Amino acid sequence: MEQVLNYIQGDLRPALGQGWLDGHAPADGSVFAHIADSGAEDVDLAVKAATSALTGWIAMGRQGRHDALMHVAALVERDLELFAQAESRDNGKPVSLAREVDIPRAISNLRFFATAILHWSSEAHITDDVAVNYTDRQPVGVVGCISPWNLPLYLFTWKIAPALAAGCTVVAKPSEITPYTTHLLAERCIEAGFPPGVLNIVQGMGGKVGAAITAHPGIPAISFTGGTATGARIATTAAPMFKKLSLELGGKNAVLVFSDCDFERMVAETVRSSFSNQGQICLCGSRILVERSMYERFRETFVARVQKLRVGDPADASTDIGAVVSEAHMQKVLGHIELAKEEGGRILCGGERVELDGALAEGWYLAPTVIEGLGPACRTNQEEIFGPVVTIQPFDSEEEAVAMANGTVYGLASVVWTSDGSRMHRVARQLKSGIVWVNCWMLRDLRTPFGGMKQSGVGREGGEEALRFFTEAKNICIKI
Ligand code: NDP
């Protein structure tokens, strides 16, 4: 049995309490690893290590931190295939996706922030002939980074890379459901001679390790990505301690399809935006709103394309849809499909578990599911499902489409399909979401602000936003 260990003070070690959790492979339901089941005492050890490493890490300067991060990135790139296979096994995602998206993006995250810090400058404000003000941005200190299971190494590095580049030291917790590639990352850190204590990874359950990180008085800032309910719990603990908080939470993203769009491109991308990573991406479009004049054509073409998607072995290069992340998550998604039926929804395709043959018979597979006949206010169109399930709804006017898109408590991402240049801007500006993609989806530039409005989050990640979060701005005013 393989082991997923904590990485504290530069060493790989089991939890102090010697407990272990099972690590499952969603493809066949088997247990392939034992994961350190850590607790508050392991977090405390990690905070001590991070605190003692802080001064030395800051003293390495921007160039030193850049070099250290680039070295780790190079080792991950060297072992890209190993990482991709491991991510696919741990998460159930097609290995092709891990190979082309997850791991390359994790490498880019490390490189992007390693170089960003070299180019970062701060503001100066000249107060007439009276004074010069300049903004000094110093690292916040020891920061906590808590990440989810859907894009495990991708989102883990999206947090730790800016924190480390900015000069913070880190106590990080990946999801207990998909921790394996962070263990591989820790091994590469050791190989690269990354300074001990600068990055610490504490494995284990959210309710124990995540909660201990959130409550620890030695951690003044928390960067969290996960569900809205967990975000609320974290805020409840952290807010009275006046910690800095960055919360990237759930979504119920709308895709607005206007009849003047490029139909072929729209359909191809909408299949992708609906079912990539089994629909388990916070940015996936789950409510597809289609102008009524095009509705029938869209429904027919879209459903036919979705039915062609291959659900199968994540290790097989021809698989489009792999396994969902856990049995509990599969049951949760199936529960949402039952709810949709109770609410009067018609299942146009999918709607059930897929049972594969042979060694994969115990795996957690779901057929990509399209539902119609539900109004915007029902629970199916209000609650996040986070699986391979989308609804389609017709609309009659631009105003109605915008109102439907904005009509949930979430506000993470939206997609607009239109060829009308004025409408692109008009609609995009009215949508209450942190990201609007027009005639594309998941086209990412790491310099742009990333995050959600309303219950999809607080704060922004990406580019300078992330570097600002991990630093404290101090105004220094010098009288002339
Ligand atoms: P969770 O909120 O369940 O978990 C996220 C992380 O928080 C995990 O590491 C989890 O640990 C940990 N955690 C759980 N409970 C606590 C707690 N009480 N205190 C501190 N940490 C805790 O989300 P999922 O992992 O299920 O991820 C799916 C959710 O993430 C979806 O809602 C999705 O929309 C959202 N998401 C948002 C993104 C965004 O950028 N806005 C991007 C990706 C996902 P453990 O798993 O070990 O219990």
Side-chain angles (χ1 to χ4, degrees), residues 342-391:
E342 283 164 26
E343 290 185 313
R346 285 185 296 283
I347 309 292
L348 300 176
C349 64
E352 76 251 312
R353 182 175 184 177
V354 176
E355 294 187 7
L356 300 180
D357 296 331
L360 306 181
E362 302 296 316
W364 304 314
Y365 299 91
L366 288 171
T369 301
V370 182
I371 304 172
E372 74 164 358
L374 292 170
C378 68
R379 282 180 59 195
T380 303
N381 277 324
Q382 290 290 321
E383 296 175 9
E384 185 181 43
I385 299 175
F386 213 58
V389 179
V390 294
T391 63

Side-chain angles (χ1 to χ4, degrees), residues 147 149-150 173 175-176 206 210 224-227 230 248-250 282 384:
S147 53
W149 48 258
N150 61 329
K173 190 201 101 61
S175 171
E176 151 278 314
F224 168 80
T225 297
T230 314
E248 299 295 338
L249 309 175
C282 53
E384 185 181 43

Side-chain angles (χ1 to χ4, degrees), residues 65-77:
R65 299 198 293 274
H66 160 273
D67 295 350
L69 286 166
M70 293 297 268
H71 193 171
V72 174
L75 296 183
V76 178
E77 187 171 55

Side-chain angles (χ1 to χ4, degrees), residues 378-435:
C378 68
R379 282 180 59 195
T380 303
N381 277 324
Q382 290 290 321
E383 296 175 9
E384 185 181 43
I385 299 175
F386 213 58
V389 179
V390 294
T391 63
I392 53 175
Q393 302 172 72
F395 66 80
D396 290 301
S397 67
E398 191 178 296
E399 293 70 29
E400 189 191 4
V402 170
M404 285 165 82
N406 288 340
T408 75
V409 295
Y410 295 109
L412 185 55
S414 328
V415 184
V416 180
W417 288 96
T418 180
S419 302
D420 178 335
S422 300
R423 175 179 275 153
M424 289 175 197
H425 296 287
R426 194 168 57 235
V427 170
R429 295 206 63 221
Q430 291 177 75
L431 290 171
K432 292 193 171 57
S433 64
I435 301 153

